[in-house]
Amino acid sequence: DDNQRESSPFISSDNDGETYYDGKNMALFEEEMDSNPMVSSLLSKLAIYTNLTQGVREHEEAENEDGVRRVTVVVPQMGTFIGVYLPCMQNILGVILFLRLTWIVGTAGILGSFAIVSMCCICTLLTAISMSAIATNGVVPAGGSYYMISRSLGPEFGGAVGLCFYLGTTFAGSMYILGTIEILLTYIIPTATVFKEGEDAAMLNNMRVYGTCCLVLMALVVFVGVKYVNKLALVFLACVILSIMATYAGVIKTLIEPPEFSVCLLGNRSLKNEHFETNTGHTRASERSHQRQPVGELWSSWYVRREENPAFSTAQDSSTDISKHYIFNDFSTYFTLLVGIYFPSVTGIMAGSNRSGDLRDAQRSIPIGTIMAILTTSFIYISCVVLFGACIEGVVLRDKFGYSVKKNPVIGILAWPSPWVIVIGSFFSCCGAGLQSLTGAPRLLQAIARDGIIPFLQVFGHGKANGEPTWALLLTVGICEIGILIASLDAVAPILSMFFLMCYLFVNLACAVQTLLRTPNWRPRFKFYHWTLSFLGMILCLSLMFLSSWYYALVAIVIAGCIYKYIEYRGAVKEWGDGIRGLSLNAARYALIRLEEVPLHTKNWRPQLMVLCKLDSDMAVKHPRLLSFTTQLKAGKGLTIVCSVLEGTYMTRSNQAKLGEQNLKAAMAAERTKGFSHVVVSSNLRDGFSLLIQSAGLGGMKHNAVLMAWPVGWKQAQDSSARRNFIETVRETTAAHQALLVAKNIDHFPSNQERLKQGTIDVWWIVHDGGLLMLLPFLLSQHKVWRKSKMRIFTVAQMDDNSIQMKKDLQMFVYHLRLDAVVEVVEMHESDISAFTYEKTLVMEQRSQMLKQMQLSRTEREREAQLIHDRNTASHSAMTDKAAGATPDRVHMTWTKEKLVNERNRQRENMAVKDLFNMKPEWEHLNQSNVRRMHTAVKLNEAVVKKSQNSQLVLLNMPGPPKNMKGDENYMEFLEVLMEGLDRVLLVRGGGSEVITIYS
């Protein structure tokens, strides 16, 4: 109460009402405790013993006073023994030890049982080492293993494994309740059964009825208040300890004086002897169950169900009176089945880490207490395996329910002074374990729900005024009822084994990842760990999962995988500094360094886009369809950097820059554009764009193409900067050897939700510019928006060219490129187009003649074709690097000498498409050539409109920009004329390198 709180010497308050611990008084208290007699100190510690987690205690101690919710501060005064060792012992030792271990020893033999126990104990020991490292790397609040895994491996793994651990704890409650009812109906009150007919079916139905009643009763106890469970914790612990002590005492007594238990046998089969004293004349074959041999059952003795063994059915037909007294097994047994049934007996190792806030020194107590508890329980289990096999005959050990020993538990006939010590002790132990599961599981679910990482679980984060998780308790009871309806302890045990093993696997993985990453925050006080031990524990957990039940293992993995993907898709974004994020950073760093080592090959080329977005006055994206087109072009692959530039200084516009970046991210999320966003503040837009083009990206992960919208208002006098910024961007991308994509009427482009039912994507291939024109339609067709659009390729020829041969050669080239496209050749008059267009495109006819003259094979011709193709591109790239003095006459073309001379003579008369698509045309001279250029643009536009006016998208070569600003307006006018009358147009200018190849 408040008086105790105010009078506590360890709790102080400051002026603001904040409560804190007084370290000096605490130290004096510890010295005083050390000076007290050992007995009184132990009794005082046992008086405060609890097996509940700290979150449960805080909820229970919440109280309302004057309408204000307050929580009494609990002094963390538990040491290693009371706070960790005993709770772990109580959670580990339980129903399997008392009800199934003798049967496992009788079935698998001492050696097989020793192997089962050793594997499971080693698995939990390795997990405890990993858990100790994680738990001592900081304070572990309520949530225990869920908190450790989620903060180490991230919300996706944490949520998936947390729910698996919750399901495991819930099914553990079902198992303990079924164990309680089995003890009640088999050993304590056998006559209390509701269903009498049909022995097997009746027992299952009785388990369902009584199990449901027991579950409802326990749920009411937990709902009313866990303080009642807390007060009985010491009683449940005493029951477990006394039962084990009685077993060891019985073993000692057996060495001195064998117990007087008689077993009725017929051959090597045991018979039921519920009325042994009254029916002693039934058979003369009787033996003592306890032999004096040092080892009674060393090897395994597997057996099948009664229905699967024809010998049993024959015996039943021949001697009906005898067969009904046989003791039959209820299912077939094999080694892996026993592993799944036994493993729940070694779970419970998280009990210490779940209450780290209640410990005096959690960094010291958790590792020592947990590992000592595992070593102690492992010794108990292994010694019991040996002692059971040595002291009890195998035929009795295989009697699961003790029918051959007057319906006593087989372990009970070994106990001293009476089998009832085991019966009563195991009964209360199972009751206590069931209550603890129903208490802990809802709070684990509540911790997951309050983290907000799984949206549909948020309702389970609410509860009563004091924090009790009412809704989570109802869900837990519902899931627990599913386990009870199974009505078989042996069938429920493998289910919870899967979920616990999944949890332990990820605890080991978390420790291994953190150790290998060597993050600065990874500084556990527990030093006796290594990543190899964690990795070994992880492998052992996975092996035990598939060893015990491969189909349950697959179900558990599928459940965890579905939860993982759901959290990844719909869950809240959480940054917990988890190891998976650190692993991603390390992998990214390694990949970036590797990318720098080797130049990119043509086969690996893909557009790494930098998207130049414009923001309006409200910092919203002006053309969101630009992001839609980016998504359609990229299909989620490669690099995307969405950028924008604000004019001014960062000091004055930093808030607007942050808001703009947030809006960019929101627009990218709405258009499902995966990539990065960046807003730069610069003194002018041109410098900002230049800075982005030069420096965006990191290492080998840099953009190689720029995507932008066509400046619609460039003709307006007040927006002359738009024209200047656009042309400067074209110049800078050309200088940086980056491709440029300019989309006209971007707002008319389809959204990601549209589906183009038909239509074409038309490519007007005037100049070969690295093959980007060919590649872009293919990339678009991979997206569902453009999937049904057909690709058409148009090339331009003169009237005197061999159009038929050009079409054949182009079709062959497209075939070798593995593209599905229709090829068309458009003929234009000599006054409208020069030979440059055709020769610069593919040099089709002359190249074919040259290859035939060289008498090369088909494979060699293809390689030579690609070689000529690459040389042409190399010359194109080399010209870009030269100074402004480079003349158009120095363009390298793979012609014959005569053809080159004729072309040079023709250049003096016809300056048409060659000038338009050359790298450095003289746009600034308003002479006859400019008139001819515009005439060519008009004629080319007429041909494009005639063929492609109704197409879904038109891709055109984009000519190079003028050398200085005098020709800017002519250049923009030419592009306007070229695109006139077309709806969706994408101007494409290559970066000077090959992006597509005919080779595999």
Side-chain angles (χ1 to χ4, degrees):
D1 58 3
D2 289 341
N3 293 331
Q4 291 177 346
R5 180 173 180 270
E6 292 172 1
S7 61
S8 174
F10 316 119
I11 304 172
S12 304
S13 300
D14 56 15
N15 294 332
D16 297 329
E18 293 288 332
T19 304
Y20 60 94
Y21 299 118
D22 190 336
K24 181 178 179 181
N25 292 335
M26 192 69 192
L28 293 174
F29 174 75
E30 291 178 355
E31 291 178 5
E32 183 181 354
M33 287 295 294
D34 292 338
S35 63
N36 285 342
M38 180 60 82
V39 175
S40 61
S41 175
L42 179 62
L43 291 177
S44 64
K45 291 178 181 178
L46 288 174
I48 61 167
Y49 172 75
T50 177
N51 195 29
L52 303 177
T53 62
Q54 68 193 73
V56 179
R57 299 184 66 188
E58 288 172 0
H59 290 161
E60 190 56 41
E61 290 158 357
E63 56 186 14
N64 290 314
E65 181 180 343
D66 301 329
V68 179
R69 182 171 177 264
R70 301 183 62 184
V71 177
T72 304
V73 178
V74 180
V75 178
Q77 52 188 346
M78 288 188 180
T80 303
F81 184 75
I82 299 295
V84 180
Y85 182 77
L86 288 183
C88 285
M89 288 277 292
Q90 185 176 351
N91 277 269
I92 294 173
L93 299 172
V95 60
I96 301 296
L97 171 64
F98 300 120
L99 295 184
R100 290 294 181 269
L101 189 58
T102 53
W103 173 71
I104 291 174
V105 174
T107 305
I110 293 179
L111 296 180
S113 303
F114 184 83
I116 293 172
V117 173
S118 299
M119 282 193 302
C120 296
C121 291
I122 291 172
C123 176
T124 54
L125 180 62
L126 294 174
T127 304
I129 293 173
S130 300
M131 183 201 69
S132 299
I134 298 174
T136 57
N137 193 49
V139 178
V140 179
S145 60
Y146 160 70
Y147 185 91
M148 287 190 295
I149 296 171
S150 62
R151 269 56 177 182
S152 296
L153 293 180
E156 293 88 1
F157 279 111
V161 180
L163 281 183
C164 284
F165 191 58
Y166 162 75
L167 291 174
T169 307
T170 305
F171 276 105
S174 302
M175 185 185 72
Y176 291 129
I177 292 173
L178 289 174
T180 302
I181 302 305
E182 184 177 309
I183 294 170
L184 179 70
L185 297 181
T186 305
Y187 306 121
I188 300 178
I189 317 176
T191 57
T193 54
V194 177
F195 300 92
K196 306 290 185 182
E197 301 173 357
E199 187 174 343
D200 293 339
M203 185 62 181
L204 294 177
N205 290 328
N206 287 323
M207 295 283 282
R208 293 184 180 106
V209 172
Y210 279 95
T212 303
C213 296
C214 183
L215 173 62
V216 172
L217 183 62
M218 288 184 176
L220 289 175
V221 172
V222 173
F223 179 78
V224 170
V226 295
K227 58 186 175 184
Y228 302 109
V229 183
N230 192 11
K231 293 181 184 301
L232 292 173
L234 192 60
V235 175
F236 298 144
L237 175 64
C239 291
V240 174
I241 295 175
L242 289 176
S243 299
I244 294 173
M245 291 177 63
T247 303
Y248 282 112
V251 171
I252 297 173
K253 183 177 181 296
T254 301
L255 295 175
I256 303 171
E257 180 184 356
E260 294 295 330
F261 265 100
S262 299
V263 179
C264 185
L265 299 177
L266 182 61
N268 61 351
R269 302 293 305 175
S270 57
L271 302 177
K272 300 178 183 178
N273 66 342
E274 301 172 41
H275 310 288
F276 188 81
E277 283 80 9
T278 59
N279 294 330
T280 54
H282 187 76
T283 178
R284 300 181 61 182
S286 63
E287 297 181 5
R288 301 295 181 187
S289 65
H290 298 277
Q291 306 295 326
R292 296 183 180 273
Q293 292 93 338
V295 176
E297 191 68 17
L298 185 64
W299 306 106
S300 60
S301 181
W302 311 109
Y303 49 98
V304 297
R305 296 183 60 179
R306 173 175 47 190
E307 292 84 354
E308 299 172 6
N309 194 331
F312 295 158
S313 58
T314 303
Q316 185 174 3
D317 295 336
S318 60
S319 54
T320 306
D321 295 334
I322 298 295
S323 63
K324 67 180 181 181
H325 295 286
Y326 273 124
I327 297 175
F328 294 105
N329 192 30
D330 49 353
F331 54 81
S332 303
T333 58
Y334 40 91
F335 181 82
T336 56
L337 174 73
L338 300 184
V339 174
I341 293 175
Y342 173 76
F343 188 81
S345 66
V346 297
T347 58
I349 61 175
M350 302 287 186
S353 62
N354 287 351
R355 54 178 55 77
S356 61
D358 294 333
L359 302 173
R360 184 182 300 119
D361 185 2
Q363 312 288 328
R364 177 178 175 273
S365 296
I366 289 177
I368 296 176
T370 305
I371 293 175
M372 288 303 297
I374 291 175
L375 293 177
T376 305
T377 52
S378 299
F379 170 78
I380 292 174
Y381 282 128
I382 291 174
S383 62
C384 285
V385 166
V386 176
L387 294 175
F388 291 163
C391 298
I392 307 176
E393 186 67 31
V395 70
V396 180
L397 287 172
R398 287 188 290 275
D399 183 5
K400 184 187 296 185
F401 302 105
Y403 291 125
S404 62
V405 286
K406 304 175 186 177
K407 275 199 172 179
N408 284 297
V410 176
I411 189 176
I413 62 175
L414 192 61
W416 181 85
S418 169
W420 283 99
V421 176
I422 298 294
V423 172
I424 301 300
S426 59
F427 178 79
F428 283 109
S429 171
C430 292
C431 285
L435 283 172
Q436 289 157 17
S437 298
L438 290 179
T439 304
R443 282 156 183 83
L444 177 60
L445 182 63
Q446 187 182 47
I448 299 172
R450 285 183 172 177
D451 261 345
I453 59 174
I454 305 178
F456 71 84
L457 288 182
Q458 289 183 355
V459 65
F460 299 108
H462 308 293
K464 293 194 295 186
N466 64 348
E468 285 293 309
T470 308
W471 295 108
L473 178 62
L474 290 176
L475 179 64
T476 303
V477 170
I479 298 174
C480 198
E481 177 65 17
I482 296 174
I484 288 174
L485 291 178
I486 297 175
S488 172
L489 188 150
D490 301 308
V492 173
I495 298 176
L496 65 102
S497 295
M498 291 304 111
F499 293 122
F500 278 119
L501 280 167
M502 180 78 73
C503 177
Y504 295 166
L505 184 149
F506 280 98
V507 168
N508 285 297
L509 176 62
C511 181
V513 167
Q514 296 279 27
T515 306
L516 290 173
L517 287 179
R518 298 180 181 176
T519 52
N521 191 55
W522 180 247
R523 304 185 301 273
R525 290 191 178 276
F526 179 74
K527 303 298 182 183
F528 303 98
Y529 69 94
H530 196 267
W531 69 268
T532 54
L533 295 178
S534 301
F535 189 76
L536 182 62
M538 186 172 61
I539 296 297
L540 191 54
C541 288
L542 191 64
S543 302
L544 286 175
M545 284 178 65
F546 283 93
L547 189 66
S548 55
S549 176
W550 64 268
Y551 43 89
Y552 280 156
L554 290 178
V555 170
I557 291 173
V558 167
I559 291 174
C562 291
I563 298 169
Y564 179 95
K565 296 305 292 184
Y566 177 80
I567 297 174
E568 187 180 52
Y569 179 68
R570 293 291 304 275
V573 178
K574 298 285 185 179
E575 175 51 54
W576 288 332
D578 52 89
I580 293 298
R581 186 169 179 82
L583 191 63
S584 301
L585 288 172
N586 268 16
R589 180 186 63 85
Y590 176 77
L592 285 172
I593 293 174
R594 288 295 303 273
L595 281 176
E596 284 277 275
E597 294 175 359
V598 194
L600 187 68
H601 194 274
T602 303
K603 290 187 288 186
N604 293 325
W605 194 95
R606 67 169 66 247
Q608 315 285 6
L609 289 180
M610 183 174 75
V611 185
L612 299 181
C613 277
K614 189 174 182 180
L615 300 177
D616 58 19
S617 57
D618 297 327
M619 295 295 111
V621 178
K622 194 170 183 179
H623 301 294
R625 289 293 171 87
L626 199 60
L627 299 177
S628 302
F629 184 68
T630 303
T631 303
Q632 296 158 21
L633 187 62
K634 303 285 293 179
K637 307 295 183 183
L639 175 69
T640 302
I641 308 174
V642 182
C643 301
S644 187
V645 179
L646 300 180
E647 213 165 0
T649 63
Y650 187 74
M651 296 299 294
T652 57
R653 304 201 67 178
S654 59
N655 291 333
Q656 289 176 304
K658 293 175 182 176
L659 176 61
E661 191 157 350
Q662 291 176 0
N663 291 341
L664 279 180
K665 290 180 178 177
M668 291 171 67
E671 300 297 336
R672 297 182 181 178
T673 304
K674 297 180 180 180
F676 309 97
S677 60
H678 191 43
V679 176
V680 172
V681 181
S682 179
S683 56
N684 58 73
L685 295 178
R686 188 169 61 184
D687 291 345
F689 287 132
S690 177
L691 178 66
L692 288 171
I693 290 171
Q694 294 177 56
S695 60
L698 181 64
M701 205 65 175
K702 293 178 68 71
H703 64 281
N704 55 25
V706 176
L707 173 63
M708 61 189 301
W710 173 256
V712 179
W714 69 271
K715 291 185 180 180
Q716 300 175 6
Q718 64 270 23
D719 198 19
S720 61
S721 60
R723 180 187 67 201
R724 187 170 62 253
N725 291 335
F726 173 78
I727 296 180
E728 285 301 318
T729 303
V730 178
R731 289 192 181 105
E732 285 168 357
T733 53
T734 302
H737 301 293
Q738 295 174 6
L740 179 63
L741 312 177
V742 180
K744 179 192 174 186
N745 294 332
I746 186 61
D747 294 328
H748 296 175
F749 277 57
S751 66
N752 290 328
Q753 286 71 39
E754 294 182 45
R755 300 292 181 269
L756 301 178
K757 301 296 183 184
Q758 57 185 359
T760 60
I761 301 175
D762 290 352
V763 176
W764 283 82
W765 195 26
I766 302 169
V767 174
H768 178 69
D769 211 1
L772 187 58
L773 274 171
M774 300 284 196
L775 188 62
L776 291 177
F778 169 76
L779 296 175
L780 284 174
S781 65
Q782 303 301 301
H783 196 274
K784 50 192 173 184
V785 173
W786 303 89
R787 190 163 292 159
K788 294 186 178 180
S789 299
K790 304 299 182 183
M791 179 179 173
R792 294 193 300 179
I793 299 177
F794 295 91
T795 190
V796 180
Q798 296 178 170
M799 289 297 184
D800 57 349
D801 284 326
N802 188 346
S803 301
I804 297 175
Q805 184 62 37
M806 283 177 63
K807 185 172 183 179
K808 288 181 179 179
D809 290 344
L810 186 55
Q811 285 175 335
M812 181 59 66
F813 185 66
V814 171
Y815 173 78
H816 286 308
L817 289 176
R818 287 101 54 206
L819 297 175
D820 186 13
V822 177
V823 174
E824 291 190 32
V825 177
V826 178
E827 293 183 340
M828 298 183 69
H829 289 285
E830 188 175 357
S831 60
D832 299 330
I833 189 168
S834 71
F836 173 84
T837 302
Y838 167 59
E839 295 292 350
K840 187 69 171 65
T841 301
L842 270 185
V843 202
M844 294 285 184
E845 190 172 357
Q846 286 79 7
R847 188 188 62 199
S848 299
Q849 292 175 357
M850 288 168 56
L851 295 178
K852 288 178 181 178
Q853 290 172 3
M854 294 169 66
Q855 295 181 349
L856 301 176
S857 66
R858 180 178 177 180
T859 304
E860 291 170 332
R861 285 202 300 269
E862 291 177 358
R863 291 182 179 175
E864 185 64 25
Q866 186 69 29
L867 183 60
I868 295 171
H869 195 68
D870 296 342
R871 285 175 180 170
N872 184 23
T873 305
S875 68
H876 173 93
S877 178
M879 284 184 59
T880 309
D881 297 333
K882 292 186 178 180
T887 62
D889 291 342
R890 299 183 63 182
V891 177
H892 176 74
M893 302 179 190
T894 54
W895 298 338
T896 62
K897 184 176 180 180
E898 292 77 14
K899 188 71 177 177
L900 182 59
V901 172
N902 294 336
E903 178 58 27
R904 283 181 176 174
N905 294 331
R906 193 183 305 166
Q907 285 177 357
R908 299 186 183 94
E909 300 174 0
N910 300 321
M911 298 295 292
V913 179
K914 174 187 175 181
D915 293 325
L916 303 180
F917 294 97
N918 197 9
M919 297 300 295
K920 303 289 183 182
E922 299 292 335
W923 295 95
E924 62 273 18
H925 299 301
L926 296 175
N927 51 22
Q928 187 67 23
S929 297
N930 283 327
V931 177
R932 288 177 180 173
R933 285 192 197 97
M934 199 57 66
H935 172 72
T936 300
V938 171
K939 290 296 182 181
L940 191 56
N941 174 259
E942 289 177 358
V944 173
V945 170
K946 181 180 178 181
K947 294 285 186 180
S948 304
Q949 188 172 20
N950 297 322
S951 65
Q952 299 290 357
L953 180 64
V954 178
L955 281 77
L956 291 171
N957 279 119
M958 184 178 182
K963 287 186 291 186
N964 53 51
M965 290 187 295
K966 293 181 181 179
D968 285 0
E969 191 168 353
N970 294 332
Y971 178 68
M972 299 295 287
E973 284 287 357
F974 168 76
L975 294 179
E976 280 282 10
V977 171
L978 192 62
M979 297 185 293
E980 189 176 356
L982 300 173
D983 186 21
R984 299 174 187 150
V985 182
L986 187 67
L987 294 175
V988 180
R989 180 163 180 78
S993 61
E994 282 297 322
V995 302
I996 194 167
T997 178
I998 65 175
Y999 298 122
S1000 61

